[in-house]
Amino acid sequence: MRIERPSAARGRVQAGWLDSRHTFSFGQYYDPAWMGFGPLRVINEDRVDPGAGFAPHRHANMEILSYVLDGGLAHRDSTGGGGVIRPGELQWMSAGHGVEHSEFNASDAEPVHFLQIWIQPSRLNHAPAYAQRAATPLSSAWTVLASPDGADGSIAIRQDARLRAVRLADGDAAAFERDPSRLYWLHVARGTVDVDGQALSAGDALGWADEAGPLSVRGAGSDAEVLLFDLPR
């Protein structure tokens, strides 16, 4: 089964300083047909004005990943975690039994553009935790950014889920072999690609359940950056 989620069909919330697109229901945007995909609960594409951001607020029992596309995102939380996330870096905050954090544009002059991703943990009420993965140049081969065991220098998260990323120039191709016992969600972060003959642009997404065999992603025009979530049922 294949699921299509075009960029234009996502929810949108604008708050003056914030322009946010929601793949799944979140905050003011609610659609019972789009409550998540397996343990993948949130993919928000946020653009935040210079100097603005999210004041301290609380979360619990969620694996929260932040992936910056342009600019810098300043983070601080009650575990002592904090710093500025730049393009190509990945930040992980496991909210566990409860954590308070804030996120602000690190610049007073330039906007920040980033993805915030929530994945439900495999069990509840861990101690909160924080980590940040240094930027590693992406290539046309899949790079593991997050995994349950920290494989290949990835961040170890508290769920049997893997986040992979790839960067494709026009004509570059990346393949992935799907396991029918798993769920897969592909999100185009930037650029344009062809996925098994279907054209996708930034913000578009596809999901698969009960699918086996190779998945082919090919760059189709401007340089593309693609995220692939490998998820348990």
Side-chain angles (χ1 to χ4, degrees):
M1 178 181 69
R2 186 174 71 172
I3 299 167
E4 299 184 8
R5 186 59 161 156
S7 174
R10 295 178 296 174
R12 187 176 189 182
V13 172
Q14 294 176 292
W17 56 271
L18 170 68
D19 186 356
S20 186
R21 302 279 185 157
H22 301 333
T23 297
F24 305 111
S25 294
F26 184 88
Q28 300 173 37
Y29 169 65
Y30 174 72
D31 184 338
W34 294 101
M35 297 303 296
F37 186 71
L40 178 60
R41 181 61 188 82
V42 167
I43 303 178
N44 290 349
E45 181 180 4
D46 291 343
R47 289 177 170 86
V48 176
D49 286 349
F54 302 91
H57 56 286
R58 193 168 180 83
H59 294 295
N61 292 313
M62 198 65 68
E63 304 293 280
I64 299 175
L65 300 169
S66 297
Y67 186 78
V68 173
L69 296 167
D70 296 293
L73 182 68
H75 168 94
R76 183 170 295 175
D77 67 53
S78 56
T79 73
V84 176
I85 315 159
R86 302 289 182 185
E89 298 177 339
L90 181 71
Q91 177 208 82
W92 166 70
M93 185 183 74
S94 184
H97 54 63
V99 67
E100 184 176 87
H101 78 131
S102 64
E103 291 173 308
F104 279 83
N105 189 335
S107 171
D108 291 327
E110 302 293 334
V112 61
H113 178 200
F114 68 102
L115 300 176
Q116 186 163 108
I117 298 155
W118 291 11
I119 298 174
Q120 294 170 325
S122 57
R123 65 182 178 87
L124 302 180
N125 296 324
H126 291 276
Y130 172 90
Q132 187 166 325
R133 183 184 187 276
T136 301
L138 298 178
S139 69
S140 58
W142 293 106
T143 297
V144 182
L145 302 182
S147 69
D149 55 5
D152 301 321
S154 61
I155 290 178
I157 63 173
R158 293 162 167 174
Q159 177 55 274
D160 180 21
R162 289 167 178 81
L163 171 59
R164 295 177 172 91
V166 71
R167 180 166 290 161
L168 300 171
D170 186 28
D172 286 346
F176 184 83
E177 191 72 23
R178 288 168 294 186
D179 178 343
S181 69
R182 306 279 292 177
L183 302 172
Y184 298 96
W185 188 267
L186 182 146
H187 180 92
V188 182
R190 69 169 94 236
T192 54
V193 295
D194 179 285
V195 180
D196 289 339
Q198 181 171 354
L200 299 178
S201 299
D204 291 338
L206 293 174
W208 295 271
D210 302 312
E211 293 279 350
L215 171 68
S216 176
V217 184
R218 183 178 297 275
S222 59
D223 284 356
E225 200 164 332
V226 180
L227 302 181
L228 180 64
F229 298 85
D230 177 349
L231 305 159
R233 290 182 175 275

